[in-house]
Amino acid sequence: MIELCEVGPRDGLQNESKLLSAEAKLDLIERLISAGIRNIECVSFVNPRVVPQMADAEEIVSRLPQREDVRYSGLVLSASGLRRALNTNIDALHVVTTSSDTFNLKNAKRTVEQAVAELVPVIEEGRSAGKIVAGVLGTAFGCPFEGEVPLKNVLGIAEKFLEAGCKEITLADTTGMANPAQVGEVVSRFLEAFGQDLSLGLHFHNTRGLGMANILAGYQAGVKRFDSSIAGLGGCPFAPKAVGNVCTEDMVNMFHEMGIETGTDLQQLIDTAQWMENLMERPLAGMLMKAGTV
């Protein structure tokens, strides 16, 4: 069984020029839940002046459908973001740093070492407050400014996050630089370093057309948890040429064609993607909503 983390309401919308109302975002979340999605990254607790699309995070969380079977998560980049998150009833915190200094300086105005030093107490405090805390390591497969990111650096960050209390680690290919052979190697090294019981997730962007191939490589290496975005929405405001995430309905279709369950209704996902394209008033990247199922 594949576990999907739908990031459309957060990562999907944060780079869009069109600002959606809270009502539209909540409508999207309700449609995703109806389609069977049970893990949704719905907000980001970041500076609204920097990412205006996420300015209504507290309002969104306060109006989410109350479902015991759905996990809602929010992105946290700093201690100030944690304070905002803890003033809501969000279920899980996705605590994020990138793995390269140049990218992190542009994204968060601090080096990786400085970010980890700030985020370790954030993780500890989040855990003490009873939240699920997941560590997300951006540029884990390469940096658009520095190129190759040494795997030992990524492993070192993960170790500190796990020691601080993270229950999950997600490796993010922030600008779509990964390839399937690399994904298999990185996953194998992570499971070797931290054990087969590590809850490891993967987050890919389709910048260079390899998103789905990388998902498959991760699955074949042993990963069962993947981030994706409805209709292929997404992109990072701080990453050059970072186009959309792996498309949720396209990924679900791939797994279903392989006989692998995802717990979702594919037709409802396609319908939601088509609704999203109409809402955004521009063509979106998803393929299945154009071609249909086999």
Side-chain angles (χ1 to χ4, degrees):
M1 181 77 161
I2 298 298
E3 179 187 348
L4 307 181
C5 178
E6 171 61 49
V7 300
R10 196 282 301 175
D11 198 6
L13 296 178
Q14 70 172 6
N15 205 37
E16 290 291 324
S17 57
K18 181 175 181 177
L19 300 182
L20 295 189
S21 67
E23 286 72 22
K25 293 177 183 178
L26 289 162
D27 193 356
L28 170 60
I29 290 167
E30 289 177 0
R31 288 169 184 263
L32 293 167
I33 293 171
S34 179
I37 302 291
R38 294 296 178 262
N39 189 354
I40 303 174
E41 187 181 75
C42 52
V43 296
S44 180
F45 297 101
V46 295
N47 188 331
R49 293 190 301 275
V50 179
V51 188
Q53 296 86 343
M54 296 291 108
D56 55 1
E58 284 84 355
E59 179 185 359
I60 295 295
V61 177
S62 72
R63 296 174 60 187
L64 288 169
Q66 296 305 298
R67 298 274 302 246
E68 292 186 0
D69 62 338
V70 177
R71 170 173 142 179
Y72 300 114
S73 58
L75 199 73
V76 172
L77 295 174
S78 64
S80 60
L82 174 69
R83 287 191 292 274
R84 288 179 59 194
L86 293 184
N87 283 324
T88 73
N89 62 350
I90 198 81
D91 299 316
L93 311 176
H94 289 178
V95 178
V96 182
T97 183
T98 61
S99 307
S100 62
D101 281 331
T102 305
F103 193 98
N104 216 58
L105 285 164
K106 290 178 179 291
N107 188 20
K109 295 183 173 55
R110 55 190 185 270
T111 65
V112 173
E113 183 177 1
Q114 290 167 336
V116 171
E118 178 177 352
L119 292 175
V120 162
V122 165
I123 294 165
E124 293 171 342
E125 187 175 346
R127 288 285 295 148
S128 296
K131 304 295 185 183
I132 301 165
V133 184
V136 182
L137 312 186
T139 63
F141 297 91
C143 170
F145 307 108
E146 297 181 11
E148 181 182 355
V149 175
L151 184 54
K152 64 180 178 62
N153 294 3
V154 186
L155 288 165
I157 300 166
E159 183 175 19
K160 290 182 172 64
F161 276 19
L162 290 167
E163 288 174 350
C166 280
K167 294 301 182 184
E168 303 170 0
I169 294 292
T170 295
L171 303 178
D173 184 24
T174 311
T175 57
M177 297 177 68
N179 67 74
Q182 178 191 22
V183 170
E185 172 66 19
V186 168
V187 169
S188 296
R189 289 281 302 277
F190 257 78
L191 297 179
E192 180 183 309
F194 301 114
Q196 294 293 322
D197 292 334
L198 172 67
S199 179
L200 183 64
L202 296 173
H203 176 115
F204 292 113
H205 285 246
N206 201 37
T207 312
R208 294 167 179 83
L210 290 176
M212 202 69 72
N214 290 330
I215 290 279
L216 181 58
Y219 173 77
Q220 291 173 334
V223 176
K224 299 295 190 293
R225 180 165 55 83
F226 300 96
D227 290 2
S228 62
S229 179
I230 195 73
L233 272 171
C236 176
F238 310 101
K241 302 178 183 178
V243 299
N245 294 272
V246 166
C247 175
T248 299
E249 66 274 13
D250 291 357
M251 181 176 70
V252 166
N253 180 63
M254 179 185 75
F255 281 125
H256 285 189
E257 288 295 308
M258 294 169 64
I260 301 164
E261 284 299 317
T262 65
T264 61
D265 184 314
L266 180 56
Q267 187 56 54
Q268 284 196 56
L269 289 172
I270 294 171
D271 293 344
T272 301
Q274 292 169 336
W275 170 82
M276 197 70 204
E277 186 171 66
N278 289 333
L279 189 65
M280 300 311 296
E281 300 180 301
R282 69 175 184 84
L284 299 180
M287 302 300 292
L288 203 66
M289 64 177 178
K290 303 177 182 69
T293 56
V294 175

Short mmCIF file of all heavy atoms in Angstrom, two decimals, residues 37-74:
data_model
loop_
_atom_site.label_atom_id
_atom_site.label_comp_id
_atom_site.label_asym_id
_atom_site.label_seq_id
_atom_site.Cartn_x
_atom_site.Cartn_y
_atom_site.Cartn_z
N ILE A 37 -7.55 10.81 -0.15
CA ILE A 37 -6.28 11.29 0.39
C ILE A 37 -6.42 11.45 1.90
O ILE A 37 -7.37 12.06 2.38
CB ILE A 37 -5.86 12.62 -0.24
CG1 ILE A 37 -5.73 12.48 -1.77
CG2 ILE A 37 -4.57 13.12 0.38
CD1 ILE A 37 -4.58 11.63 -2.23
N ARG A 38 -5.46 10.92 2.66
CA ARG A 38 -5.54 10.96 4.11
C ARG A 38 -4.35 11.66 4.77
O ARG A 38 -4.25 11.71 5.99
CB ARG A 38 -5.66 9.53 4.66
CG ARG A 38 -6.98 8.84 4.28
CD ARG A 38 -8.15 9.57 4.92
NE ARG A 38 -9.45 9.00 4.57
CZ ARG A 38 -10.25 9.47 3.61
NH1 ARG A 38 -9.86 10.53 2.91
NH2 ARG A 38 -11.41 8.91 3.37
N ASN A 39 -3.44 12.17 3.96
CA ASN A 39 -2.27 12.89 4.48
C ASN A 39 -2.09 14.12 3.60
O ASN A 39 -1.76 14.01 2.41
CB ASN A 39 -1.04 11.98 4.42
CG ASN A 39 0.17 12.56 5.12
OD1 ASN A 39 0.15 13.70 5.59
ND2 ASN A 39 1.23 11.78 5.21
N ILE A 40 -2.36 15.31 4.15
CA ILE A 40 -2.39 16.54 3.34
C ILE A 40 -1.53 17.62 3.98
O ILE A 40 -1.73 18.00 5.13
CB ILE A 40 -3.83 17.07 3.20
CG1 ILE A 40 -4.74 16.00 2.59
CG2 ILE A 40 -3.85 18.33 2.34
CD1 ILE A 40 -6.20 16.39 2.54
N GLU A 41 -0.54 18.10 3.22
CA GLU A 41 0.24 19.26 3.64
C GLU A 41 -0.53 20.48 3.15
O GLU A 41 -0.57 20.78 1.96
CB GLU A 41 1.64 19.21 3.02
CG GLU A 41 2.56 20.30 3.55
CD GLU A 41 3.93 20.25 2.90
OE1 GLU A 41 4.04 20.65 1.72
OE2 GLU A 41 4.86 19.77 3.56
N CYS A 42 -1.18 21.17 4.10
CA CYS A 42 -2.18 22.15 3.70
C CYS A 42 -1.75 23.60 3.87
O CYS A 42 -2.37 24.49 3.25
CB CYS A 42 -3.48 21.90 4.45
SG CYS A 42 -3.32 21.79 6.24
N VAL A 43 -0.74 23.89 4.69
CA VAL A 43 -0.34 25.28 4.92
C VAL A 43 1.17 25.37 5.13
O VAL A 43 1.86 24.36 5.29
CB VAL A 43 -1.04 25.89 6.17
CG1 VAL A 43 -2.55 25.97 5.96
CG2 VAL A 43 -0.71 25.09 7.42
N SER A 44 1.64 26.61 5.17
CA SER A 44 3.03 26.88 5.48
C SER A 44 3.08 28.07 6.44
O SER A 44 2.49 29.11 6.16
CB SER A 44 3.81 27.21 4.20
OG SER A 44 5.17 27.47 4.48
N PHE A 45 3.76 27.90 7.55
CA PHE A 45 3.86 28.97 8.55
C PHE A 45 5.13 29.78 8.28
O PHE A 45 6.12 29.70 9.00
CB PHE A 45 3.87 28.38 9.96
CG PHE A 45 2.60 27.64 10.30
CD1 PHE A 45 2.55 26.25 10.23
CD2 PHE A 45 1.45 28.33 10.67
CE1 PHE A 45 1.38 25.57 10.53
CE2 PHE A 45 0.28 27.65 10.97
CZ PHE A 45 0.24 26.27 10.90
N VAL A 46 5.09 30.55 7.20
CA VAL A 46 6.23 31.36 6.78
C VAL A 46 5.79 32.81 6.69
O VAL A 46 4.61 33.14 6.79
CB VAL A 46 6.78 30.88 5.42
CG1 VAL A 46 7.36 29.48 5.54
CG2 VAL A 46 5.69 30.91 4.36
N ASN A 47 6.76 33.68 6.51
CA ASN A 47 6.50 35.12 6.44
C ASN A 47 5.53 35.42 5.29
O ASN A 47 5.85 35.18 4.12
CB ASN A 47 7.82 35.86 6.23
CG ASN A 47 7.66 37.36 6.35
OD1 ASN A 47 6.60 37.93 6.08
ND2 ASN A 47 8.73 38.04 6.76
N PRO A 48 4.34 35.95 5.57
CA PRO A 48 3.37 36.20 4.51
C PRO A 48 3.82 37.24 3.50
O PRO A 48 3.32 37.27 2.37
CB PRO A 48 2.13 36.66 5.28
CG PRO A 48 2.62 37.14 6.60
CD PRO A 48 3.82 36.30 6.91
N ARG A 49 4.76 38.09 3.87
CA ARG A 49 5.29 39.06 2.91
C ARG A 49 6.15 38.38 1.86
O ARG A 49 6.25 38.85 0.74
CB ARG A 49 6.10 40.14 3.64
CG ARG A 49 5.27 41.04 4.54
CD ARG A 49 6.07 42.23 5.03
NE ARG A 49 7.26 41.84 5.78
CZ ARG A 49 7.26 41.56 7.07
NH1 ARG A 49 6.14 41.64 7.78
NH2 ARG A 49 8.37 41.22 7.70
N VAL A 50 6.76 37.27 2.24
CA VAL A 50 7.62 36.53 1.33
C VAL A 50 6.81 35.55 0.48
O VAL A 50 7.05 35.39 -0.71
CB VAL A 50 8.73 35.80 2.11
CG1 VAL A 50 9.62 35.00 1.16
CG2 VAL A 50 9.57 36.79 2.90
N VAL A 51 5.86 34.87 1.12
CA VAL A 51 5.02 33.89 0.42
C VAL A 51 3.55 34.27 0.68
O VAL A 51 2.89 33.68 1.54
CB VAL A 51 5.31 32.45 0.89
CG1 VAL A 51 4.55 31.45 0.01
CG2 VAL A 51 6.80 32.15 0.85
N PRO A 52 3.04 35.25 -0.04
CA PRO A 52 1.67 35.74 0.24
C PRO A 52 0.59 34.69 0.03
O PRO A 52 -0.49 34.79 0.62
CB PRO A 52 1.51 36.92 -0.73
CG PRO A 52 2.56 36.71 -1.79
CD PRO A 52 3.69 36.04 -1.11
N GLN A 53 0.89 33.68 -0.78
CA GLN A 53 -0.11 32.63 -1.02
C GLN A 53 -0.44 31.85 0.25
O GLN A 53 -1.48 31.20 0.34
CB GLN A 53 0.39 31.66 -2.10
CG GLN A 53 0.58 32.28 -3.47
CD GLN A 53 1.95 32.93 -3.64
OE1 GLN A 53 2.65 33.20 -2.66
NE2 GLN A 53 2.34 33.18 -4.87
N MET A 54 0.46 31.90 1.24
CA MET A 54 0.27 31.14 2.48
C MET A 54 -0.09 32.05 3.66
O MET A 54 -0.01 31.64 4.82
CB MET A 54 1.56 30.37 2.82
CG MET A 54 1.93 29.30 1.80
SD MET A 54 0.78 27.89 1.81
CE MET A 54 -0.09 28.16 0.24
N ALA A 55 -0.52 33.27 3.38
CA ALA A 55 -0.77 34.25 4.45
C ALA A 55 -1.94 33.86 5.34
O ALA A 55 -2.05 34.33 6.48
CB ALA A 55 -1.02 35.63 3.85
N ASP A 56 -2.83 33.00 4.85
CA ASP A 56 -4.04 32.65 5.61
C ASP A 56 -3.91 31.30 6.32
O ASP A 56 -4.92 30.63 6.56
CB ASP A 56 -5.25 32.64 4.68
CG ASP A 56 -5.06 31.72 3.47
OD1 ASP A 56 -4.00 31.08 3.36
OD2 ASP A 56 -5.98 31.65 2.63
N ALA A 57 -2.69 30.90 6.68
CA ALA A 57 -2.46 29.57 7.25
C ALA A 57 -3.34 29.31 8.47
O ALA A 57 -3.98 28.25 8.57
CB ALA A 57 -0.98 29.40 7.61
N GLU A 58 -3.38 30.25 9.40
CA GLU A 58 -4.16 30.04 10.63
C GLU A 58 -5.65 29.89 10.32
O GLU A 58 -6.33 29.04 10.91
CB GLU A 58 -3.93 31.19 11.61
CG GLU A 58 -2.60 31.13 12.35
CD GLU A 58 -1.43 31.73 11.58
OE1 GLU A 58 -1.62 32.12 10.41
OE2 GLU A 58 -0.32 31.81 12.13
N GLU A 59 -6.15 30.69 9.40
CA GLU A 59 -7.56 30.59 9.04
C GLU A 59 -7.87 29.23 8.42
O GLU A 59 -8.88 28.59 8.75
CB GLU A 59 -7.96 31.70 8.07
CG GLU A 59 -9.43 31.62 7.64
CD GLU A 59 -9.83 32.63 6.59
OE1 GLU A 59 -8.98 33.44 6.18
OE2 GLU A 59 -11.01 32.59 6.17
N ILE A 60 -7.00 28.78 7.52
CA ILE A 60 -7.22 27.48 6.87
C ILE A 60 -7.27 26.38 7.91
O ILE A 60 -8.20 25.54 7.91
CB ILE A 60 -6.10 27.19 5.84
CG1 ILE A 60 -6.15 28.20 4.68
CG2 ILE A 60 -6.21 25.76 5.32
CD1 ILE A 60 -7.39 28.13 3.84
N VAL A 61 -6.30 26.35 8.83
CA VAL A 61 -6.26 25.27 9.83
C VAL A 61 -7.51 25.31 10.70
O VAL A 61 -8.10 24.28 11.04
CB VAL A 61 -4.99 25.36 10.68
CG1 VAL A 61 -4.99 24.29 11.78
CG2 VAL A 61 -3.74 25.19 9.81
N SER A 62 -7.96 26.50 11.06
CA SER A 62 -9.13 26.62 11.94
C SER A 62 -10.40 26.12 11.27
O SER A 62 -11.37 25.76 11.96
CB SER A 62 -9.31 28.07 12.40
OG SER A 62 -9.76 28.89 11.32
N ARG A 63 -10.42 26.07 9.93
CA ARG A 63 -11.63 25.69 9.20
C ARG A 63 -11.54 24.32 8.53
O ARG A 63 -12.44 23.93 7.79
CB ARG A 63 -11.94 26.77 8.15
CG ARG A 63 -12.25 28.14 8.76
CD ARG A 63 -12.41 29.20 7.69
NE ARG A 63 -13.49 28.89 6.75
CZ ARG A 63 -13.74 29.59 5.65
NH1 ARG A 63 -13.00 30.66 5.37
NH2 ARG A 63 -14.73 29.25 4.84
N LEU A 64 -10.47 23.59 8.80
CA LEU A 64 -10.32 22.26 8.19
C LEU A 64 -11.41 21.31 8.67
O LEU A 64 -11.81 21.36 9.84
CB LEU A 64 -8.95 21.68 8.53
CG LEU A 64 -7.74 22.32 7.85
CD1 LEU A 64 -6.45 21.82 8.49
CD2 LEU A 64 -7.74 22.03 6.34
N PRO A 65 -11.87 20.40 7.81
CA PRO A 65 -12.82 19.38 8.26
C PRO A 65 -12.21 18.54 9.38
O PRO A 65 -11.06 18.10 9.27
CB PRO A 65 -13.05 18.53 7.01
CG PRO A 65 -12.64 19.40 5.86
CD PRO A 65 -11.56 20.30 6.37
N GLN A 66 -12.95 18.36 10.44
CA GLN A 66 -12.44 17.60 11.59
C GLN A 66 -12.61 16.12 11.32
O GLN A 66 -13.71 15.57 11.42
CB GLN A 66 -13.16 18.04 12.86
CG GLN A 66 -12.91 19.48 13.24
CD GLN A 66 -11.42 19.81 13.36
OE1 GLN A 66 -10.72 19.23 14.19
NE2 GLN A 66 -10.93 20.70 12.52
N ARG A 67 -11.51 15.47 10.96
CA ARG A 67 -11.53 14.05 10.60
C ARG A 67 -10.43 13.34 11.35
O ARG A 67 -9.25 13.68 11.22
CB ARG A 67 -11.29 13.91 9.09
CG ARG A 67 -12.35 14.55 8.19
CD ARG A 67 -13.47 13.59 7.96
NE ARG A 67 -13.02 12.34 7.38
CZ ARG A 67 -13.34 11.92 6.15
NH1 ARG A 67 -14.09 12.67 5.37
NH2 ARG A 67 -12.93 10.74 5.70
N GLU A 68 -10.78 12.31 12.11
CA GLU A 68 -9.76 11.55 12.83
C GLU A 68 -8.90 10.72 11.89
O GLU A 68 -7.79 10.33 12.25
CB GLU A 68 -10.43 10.64 13.87
CG GLU A 68 -11.07 11.40 15.02
CD GLU A 68 -11.59 10.47 16.10
OE1 GLU A 68 -11.45 9.24 15.94
OE2 GLU A 68 -12.14 10.98 17.09
N ASP A 69 -9.41 10.45 10.69
CA ASP A 69 -8.67 9.61 9.74
C ASP A 69 -7.84 10.42 8.76
O ASP A 69 -7.26 9.86 7.83
CB ASP A 69 -9.63 8.70 8.97
CG ASP A 69 -10.64 9.48 8.13
OD1 ASP A 69 -10.88 10.67 8.43
OD2 ASP A 69 -11.19 8.90 7.17
N VAL A 70 -7.77 11.74 8.93
CA VAL A 70 -6.98 12.59 8.04
C VAL A 70 -5.91 13.32 8.84
O VAL A 70 -6.19 13.86 9.91
CB VAL A 70 -7.87 13.62 7.31
CG1 VAL A 70 -7.02 14.54 6.43
CG2 VAL A 70 -8.91 12.91 6.45
N ARG A 71 -4.70 13.31 8.33
CA ARG A 71 -3.59 14.03 8.97
C ARG A 71 -3.30 15.30 8.19
O ARG A 71 -3.03 15.26 6.99
CB ARG A 71 -2.35 13.13 9.01
CG ARG A 71 -1.07 13.84 9.42
CD ARG A 71 0.05 12.84 9.58
NE ARG A 71 1.31 13.36 9.10
CZ ARG A 71 2.47 12.69 9.15
NH1 ARG A 71 2.50 11.48 9.67
NH2 ARG A 71 3.57 13.22 8.68
N TYR A 72 -3.36 16.43 8.88
CA TYR A 72 -3.05 17.72 8.29
C TYR A 72 -1.68 18.18 8.78
O TYR A 72 -1.39 18.14 9.98
CB TYR A 72 -4.09 18.77 8.70
CG TYR A 72 -5.51 18.44 8.30
CD1 TYR A 72 -6.48 18.19 9.26
CD2 TYR A 72 -5.88 18.41 6.96
CE1 TYR A 72 -7.79 17.90 8.90
CE2 TYR A 72 -7.19 18.13 6.58
CZ TYR A 72 -8.14 17.88 7.56
OH TYR A 72 -9.44 17.60 7.19
N SER A 73 -0.86 18.65 7.86
CA SER A 73 0.48 19.10 8.25
C SER A 73 0.74 20.50 7.73
O SER A 73 0.12 20.97 6.76
CB SER A 73 1.55 18.14 7.72
OG SER A 73 1.46 18.03 6.32
N GLY A 74 1.68 21.19 8.40
CA GLY A 74 2.09 22.52 8.00
C GLY A 74 3.60 22.63 7.97
O GLY A 74 4.30 22.00 8.78
#
